Amino acid sequence: MDLYSTAALKASKIVTESYSTSFSYATSLMKKEHRDAIYSIYGFVRFADEIVDTFHAYDKKLLLNTFESDVKKALKHGISLNPILHSFQLTVKKYGIEQEYIDAFLTSMKYDLEKKNYNSATETDTYIYGSAEVVGLMCLKVFCNGDDEWFEKLKQPAMKLGSAFQKVNFLRDLQHDSELLGRNYFPGIKAENFDEIAKNRIINEIKRDFRAALPGIRKLPKGAKKAVFLAYLYYQVLLQKLEETAPGKLLKKRTRISNIRKILLMIKVETYCKLKLI
């Protein structure tokens, strides 16, 4: 059984490395125990997201319902023949990740199959809570390693960071989500009426979330702090590029960060941590 669990954790690592080199590198900065847990959370989240976003030739609803059923069985029985779900249930049980977080995430994934337009800030916030904030809380459970008092102190900043990351993704993928997937996450804003005023309103929201998240990052354990701070800086730079890009151009080309810039961010993180500036 130990061999199978080890293989399952390696499978989650492979998924992470295959889908996101930046996230994979950030996770590699953590101690091994935390790395394996974060890989398992990423694998779970990524597979659900792939179902609703990319498996267009298949019955997405059926796949997602099957995925949800398999998750429940894995958590109930403590094993799954799906190695990604097996590694995820190991992490859930080891770190006491609440079922409510898992349910909220899967609910938001269902929204992506059923709901196209978000007509109020409340609707958008509900979606973001399930799709991003609870993922941050799952990771925080790992970082706090059973310390409930520590978790409660960092809970709100972790949620704000997840919200900021998700809104940056929404802004960067506005054209893809709106025109190809038919989804509009920002109330009243679609690709056809997206202008500088709308863009700046969204960016100001994201900046507020980032400001609220930073104090929590400063209080994270050393290993986790370095990795999360790298992700924080990465998204800060991405937001800056989005802010500097005209709305029309933003809708035509997906904004990215060059590999050289990523390396410079890594150096910056190492320097900040050594000088205890974060």
Side-chain angles (χ1 to χ4, degrees):
M1 192 61 196
D2 288 344
L3 181 59
Y4 175 62
S5 294
T6 299
L9 289 167
K10 288 181 179 179
S12 292
K13 180 181 179 181
I14 290 171
V15 169
T16 307
E17 292 174 339
S18 299
Y19 278 97
S20 177
T21 54
S22 298
F23 186 85
S24 178
Y25 178 80
T27 304
S28 73
L29 299 176
M30 303 174 189
K31 60 182 181 181
K32 187 179 187 307
E33 178 186 9
H34 287 172
R35 285 202 306 268
D36 287 344
I38 299 304
Y39 287 141
S40 74
I41 292 171
Y42 183 91
F44 164 71
V45 169
R46 172 49 59 190
F47 272 22
D49 197 55
E50 285 300 295
I51 290 172
V52 300
D53 279 356
T54 65
F55 294 170
H56 305 307
Y58 304 91
D59 186 335
K60 295 181 182 181
K61 186 175 182 179
L62 175 63
L63 289 176
L64 188 60
N65 287 340
T66 301
F67 186 77
E68 181 178 23
S69 175
D70 289 346
V71 171
K72 291 178 178 178
K73 290 176 183 177
L75 293 171
K76 179 180 179 180
H77 300 296
I79 189 172
S80 175
L81 293 182
N82 178 330
I84 303 304
L85 295 185
H86 182 70
S87 67
F88 179 65
Q89 67 85 22
L90 290 173
T91 295
V92 169
K93 293 186 176 181
K94 181 174 183 178
Y95 294 99
I97 293 174
E98 282 86 344
Q99 182 67 43
E100 188 271 329
Y101 298 159
I102 301 168
D103 292 341
F105 172 75
L106 290 171
T107 295
S108 283
M109 294 301 98
K110 292 175 186 176
Y111 285 165
D112 277 337
L113 295 181
E114 303 164 357
K115 190 173 179 61
K116 297 300 183 181
N117 295 300
Y118 291 77
N119 300 311
S120 70
T122 299
E123 289 185 357
T124 299
D125 289 345
T126 299
Y127 176 84
I128 290 175
Y129 172 74
S131 66
E133 292 180 8
V134 297
V135 178
L137 295 179
M138 291 182 201
C139 294
L140 184 60
K141 277 286 185 179
V142 173
F143 300 150
C144 292
N145 201 20
D147 189 325
D148 292 334
E149 183 177 353
W150 201 359
F151 175 82
E152 288 301 323
K153 288 181 180 179
L154 300 182
K155 185 176 180 179
Q156 288 303 316
M159 293 171 67
K160 289 296 183 181
L161 187 62
S163 176
F165 287 173
Q166 184 67 293
K167 289 174 185 175
V168 170
N169 288 335
F170 285 166
L171 185 56
R172 180 175 61 171
D173 297 334
L174 185 66
Q175 186 270 343
H176 178 269
D177 289 340
S178 180
E179 296 184 4
L180 297 181
L181 299 178
R183 301 177 195 152
N184 297 289
Y185 295 107
F186 295 116
I189 299 175
K190 298 182 180 180
E192 59 264 28
N193 67 359
F194 183 64
D195 57 17
E196 197 68 30
I197 294 174
K199 188 189 77 170
N200 288 335
R201 178 169 66 80
I202 295 168
I203 286 174
N204 287 333
E205 284 183 20
I206 298 171
K207 287 181 177 179
R208 286 195 294 271
D209 285 341
F210 273 131
R211 286 194 295 269
L214 187 56
I217 297 175
R218 296 184 187 278
K219 296 176 183 178
L220 285 170
K222 186 177 179 181
K225 181 189 297 184
K226 184 183 293 187
V228 175
F229 186 51
L230 177 58
Y232 173 88
L233 289 181
Y234 175 86
Y235 271 87
Q236 284 273 20
V237 171
L238 191 53
L239 181 63
Q240 182 181 357
K241 291 193 69 174
L242 291 169
E243 186 173 15
E244 294 169 351
T245 304
K249 188 174 181 180
L250 189 151
L251 292 173
K252 293 179 180 178
K253 186 177 181 181
R254 196 169 192 263
T255 304
R256 299 182 183 276
I257 298 176
S258 68
N259 289 333
I260 293 177
R261 191 70 182 272
K262 290 178 183 179
I263 293 171
L264 292 175
L265 287 177
M266 295 171 192
I267 295 172
K268 183 175 181 178
V269 168
E270 292 291 347
T271 303
Y272 268 56
C273 290
K274 286 180 180 179
L275 297 176
K276 298 182 178 180
L277 297 175
I278 182 68

